[in-house]
Amino acid sequence: MTRALTRKGEATRARIVAGAAAEIRERGVDEVRLEDVMARTGTSKGQLFHYFPEGKEELLLAVAQHEADQVLIDQEPMLSNLTSWPAWLAWRDRLIERYLAQGVRCPLNGLLGQAGRRGPGAQAVVTGLMWRWQKAITEGIRHMQSTGDIAPEVDADRAAAALLAGIQGGVLLLLSTGKIDHLEAVLDLTIDSLRSGARTA
Amino acid sequence: MTRALTRKGEATRARIVAGAAAEIRERGVDEVRLEDVMARTGTSKGQLFHYFPEGKEELLLAVAQHEADQVLIDQEPMLSNLTSWPAWLAWRDRLIERYLAQGVRCPLNGLLGQAGRRGPGAQAVVTGLMWRWQKAITEGIRHMQSTGDIAPEVDADRAAAALLAGIQGGVLLLLSTGKIDHLEAVLDLTIDSLRSGARTA
DNA sequence: CTAGAAATGGACCGGCAAGTCCAAAGAGCG
DNA sequence: CGCTCTTTGGACTTGCCGGTCCATTTCTAG
């Protein structure tokens, strides 16, 4: 039942997704025309609908999944190794760097706020991303607790939830205002707060 | 040069904005058709373009401004009176309550992430909102510092920036996942953190 | 080599929704 | 009471863009 794709087909499909992703980053989700994707990727309409029978919707979803994965990959190996304060700071730096470079071009942009409306598929992609992201942070906090660097009374889940929210909001404000200050403030203050909590223990 | 609007005209214009706002809340920005607004408000196309000569764009911008103002109004009188810990908690409760009630229906939704792309007008609306919001929080923190409830070393601006980002992210996650947990965590943990900072002083 | 499946190209269709236009109704004013 | 400016109604135009369709070429297997 899985589509019969030859190697060539596979490559074309990937090219379409990548091209669509680039297009979205540059122009925004709702500004993407199938035609633009075709032009950029050197494909024809027939191909688009051959690889994404459901049409635009399906393509967009594939792109979303692709970009969501990328978000986490871009944070590696830091995100999975939050095992010391220097590691946390390295992660912090990576985030700042990454989003500073990305600027206004957030590929998931259109999705985030409208996940609910864009159908259950989009919803799943977004919640999946957030879930994995938060889980990684939680594990980092737990690890720091195991080494005594973070107070055991800290509710790792709640703290991770707050930090994740802060990051999202920081990025959102970067998107809105062009300033990275909010993201920086969140990361620094939250990490500081986790850190100083150790004294209590 | 300000448009010559009779009282009746003024009323109609307001009705259109309100109707469009409602429509956006229910269906999302990009799903709004002029036709829907007409139907809901009992107006004709002639009227829409009479009151908003630039068309949809201009109408949407008017709605955005309207809703942005509402966001802050909804937080009053708490937001302007963050002068004691009970007051902060009351504000917290109001936020939770408001966004819980609102659920997925965020009128500014489409704007937030795409302010940059939606033209300078939208950008201005969003940054203006964020600016005013953050300023109010900053003033709250400063006041608490003046009464010794928050340590003087706290950088009020930075702390406010972080809190604002947290709130935005919390709302975003509410929109994406339907859960209010993130917003709650941000508010509680951040306020706690500000509170415990007092001990240091 | 060849049959069948996959991949590709691109002409064409159809609907939708923004925006235009003008005619007519209503309201304020001397 | 009639002039003018605002308000209103709604038919019509127009361009865009997603989606359909089929002819053609390329690939793979036996």
Side-chain angles (χ1 to χ4, degrees):
Chain A
M1 195 37 241
T2 48
R3 292 151 294 221
L5 285 188
T6 69
R7 181 157 306 153
K8 192 176 177 189
E10 202 76 64
T12 303
R13 202 193 120 103
R15 188 155 41 94
I16 292 174
V17 171
E23 207 66 31
I24 288 175
R25 263 178 255 126
E26 289 178 17
R27 309 163 97 87
V29 200
D30 8 84
E31 301 305 321
V32 180
R33 330 251 161 251
L34 254 30
E35 214 176 317
D36 302 329
V37 177
M38 286 161 50
R40 175 185 282 260
T41 60
T43 48
S44 66
K45 212 153 226 178
Q47 285 165 288
L48 281 190
F49 282 85
H50 178 66
Y51 294 107
F52 303 94
E54 310 268 286
K56 199 180 188 183
E57 190 93 352
E58 191 182 354
L59 171 58
L60 255 36
L61 198 58
V63 171
Q65 186 63 63
H66 175 262
E67 296 286 25
D69 292 342
Q70 200 56 40
V71 167
L72 293 180
I73 290 172
D74 282 352
Q75 295 176 58
E76 295 301 345
M78 290 80 172
L79 181 58
S80 293
N81 289 289
L82 297 172
T83 54
S84 69
W85 290 123
W88 278 76
L89 294 184
W91 174 57
R92 180 216 101 115
D93 289 343
R94 167 65 68 88
L95 275 173
I96 299 280
E97 175 198 1
R98 190 228 140 121
Y99 282 104
L100 203 48
Q102 178 180 282
V104 170
R105 312 173 166 206
C106 179
L108 293 171
N109 214 339
L111 269 186
L112 288 176
Q114 317 177 16
R117 312 189 203 269
R118 285 241 189 225
Q123 172 100 353
V125 170
V126 173
T127 57
L129 167 62
M130 293 305 165
W131 165 251
R132 286 183 287 161
W133 200 338
Q134 182 169 334
K135 194 171 155 231
I137 299 175
T138 304
E139 276 169 12
I141 295 177
R142 289 238 167 81
H143 187 280
M144 295 299 275
Q145 288 180 312
S146 78
T147 60
D149 288 300
I150 291 182
E153 314 80 90
V154 169
D155 181 334
D157 260 320
R158 240 170 122 69
L163 178 49
L164 179 63
I167 293 170
Q168 300 312 315
V171 172
L172 191 71
L173 283 161
L174 167 62
L175 261 35
S176 312
T177 67
K179 294 277 192 184
I180 198 135
D181 304 23
H182 291 86
L183 181 56
E184 247 177 36
V186 161
L187 288 169
D188 289 342
L189 293 181
T190 306
I191 293 178
D192 267 7
S193 168
L194 286 172
R195 214 163 182 169
S196 70
R199 280 190 236 137
T200 316
Chain B
M1 194 43 241
T2 49
R3 291 152 295 224
L5 286 188
T6 68
R7 181 157 305 154
K8 193 176 178 189
E10 202 77 64
T12 302
R13 203 193 119 104
R15 187 155 43 92
I16 292 174
V17 171
E23 207 66 28
I24 288 175
R25 262 178 257 126
E26 290 178 17
R27 308 164 98 86
V29 200
D30 8 86
E31 301 305 320
V32 179
R33 331 250 162 253
L34 255 29
E35 213 177 319
D36 301 329
V37 177
M38 286 161 50
R40 176 185 284 259
T41 60
T43 49
S44 66
K45 211 153 225 177
Q47 285 166 288
L48 280 190
F49 283 85
H50 179 66
Y51 294 107
F52 304 93
E54 310 269 287
K56 199 181 188 182
E57 190 93 352
E58 190 181 354
L59 170 59
L60 254 36
L61 198 59
V63 171
Q65 186 63 63
H66 176 262
E67 296 286 26
D69 293 342
Q70 200 57 38
V71 166
L72 293 180
I73 291 173
D74 282 354
Q75 295 176 55
E76 295 300 347
M78 290 80 172
L79 182 57
S80 293
N81 290 288
L82 297 173
T83 55
S84 70
W85 290 122
W88 279 76
L89 294 183
W91 173 58
R92 180 216 100 115
D93 289 344
R94 168 65 67 88
L95 275 174
I96 300 278
E97 175 198 1
R98 191 230 139 120
Y99 282 104
L100 203 47
Q102 178 181 282
V104 171
R105 312 174 166 205
C106 178
L108 292 172
N109 214 340
L111 269 188
L112 289 177
Q114 316 177 16
R117 311 190 204 271
R118 285 243 189 222
Q123 172 99 354
V125 170
V126 173
T127 57
L129 167 62
M130 292 306 166
W131 165 252
R132 285 184 287 162
W133 200 337
Q134 183 169 331
K135 193 170 155 231
I137 299 175
T138 304
E139 277 170 11
I141 295 177
R142 290 238 167 80
H143 187 281
M144 295 299 275
Q145 288 179 312
S146 78
T147 60
D149 286 301
I150 291 183
E153 314 80 90
V154 168
D155 181 334
D157 261 320
R158 240 169 122 67
L163 179 48
L164 179 63
I167 294 171
Q168 300 313 315
V171 172
L172 191 70
L173 284 160
L174 167 61
L175 259 35
S176 313
T177 67
K179 294 278 193 183
I180 199 135
D181 303 24
H182 291 85
L183 182 56
E184 246 176 37
V186 161
L187 288 169
D188 289 342
L189 293 182
T190 305
I191 293 177
D192 267 7
S193 168
L194 286 171
R195 214 162 181 169
S196 69
R199 279 189 237 139
T200 314

